[in-house]
Amino acid sequence: MIRTVDLSKIYRTDEVETTALNSVNLEISKGEFVAIMGPSGCGKSTLLNLIGLLDNPSKGELHFDKIEVSKHTERMRTNLRKSNIGFIFQSFNLIDELTVYENVELPLLYLKMSASDRKKKVNHILDKMKIAHRAKHFPQQLSGGQQQRVAVARAVVTNPKMILADEPTGNLDSANGEEVMNLLTSLNEEGTTIVMVTHSPSHAEYAHRIIQLFDGHIVTENFQKEFQL
């Protein structure tokens, strides 16, 4: 599903040049669960942003679902991203002015789905995430664990091929963190590709493979579980 060839990202200012990623070669298969680890500033979030088509690389190739996308315009990346990739963030990134239902519905509005189809999809995913009883509540009325459930629901409501999770348990206590990891595992078992950035060794163990980054390079790849296509 994902293949990178000598992928690099360089940030430049008038005085400083910073290499966030340096010639990264990586393959992620459809249906795989991959955890990316490493110290702060090693390039984890940069790699996730590139894989998620939020930015273009400075050098190298990025293939998404057999399409070479490294030179795509922002509009082309957006069109490819909105129906194929779901995002889960550490800070939830819910819109405070919208209800739970409206937050989850938002990606479907971008896809110009009919109101009746949106209603079916949102209600189904809220039931699946066991948050339907909070549909009319606003994010600030929810616990951290409930907010992350809503964020997961929003990420999967479009039935994306891949979910990118950036420290999805970072703001949660241990019980809610385990709950989110179980949700991600369940989604992966249903066929969704998961790429997760984490600092937690115990949560990384849920993945099929752990990739360690250091100074913009992949330094190790460890297979935790057997993965079959």
Side-chain angles (χ1 to χ4, degrees), residues 40-110:
S40 297
C42 71
K44 301 186 300 298
S45 292
T46 299
L47 179 57
L48 209 65
N49 286 341
L50 293 177
I51 292 173
L53 310 181
L54 295 171
D55 198 1
N56 276 343
S58 304
K59 300 177 184 177
E61 298 177 8
L62 173 62
H63 299 258
F64 177 81
D65 213 15
K66 299 181 180 180
I67 302 170
E68 211 289 305
V69 299
S70 62
K71 301 298 189 296
H72 271 27
T73 64
E74 184 174 352
R75 176 174 290 183
M76 293 166 70
R77 293 199 313 270
T78 298
N79 288 336
L80 189 58
R81 183 175 65 236
K82 65 185 180 182
S83 58
N84 289 290
I85 304 174
F87 294 88
I88 304 170
F89 303 96
Q90 177 178 349
S91 56
F92 317 134
N93 284 16
L94 301 176
I95 299 174
D96 289 340
E97 294 77 18
L98 300 181
T99 64
V100 165
Y101 183 99
E102 291 165 340
N103 267 282
V104 175
E105 182 187 33
L106 197 57
L108 303 179
L109 291 171
Y110 293 140

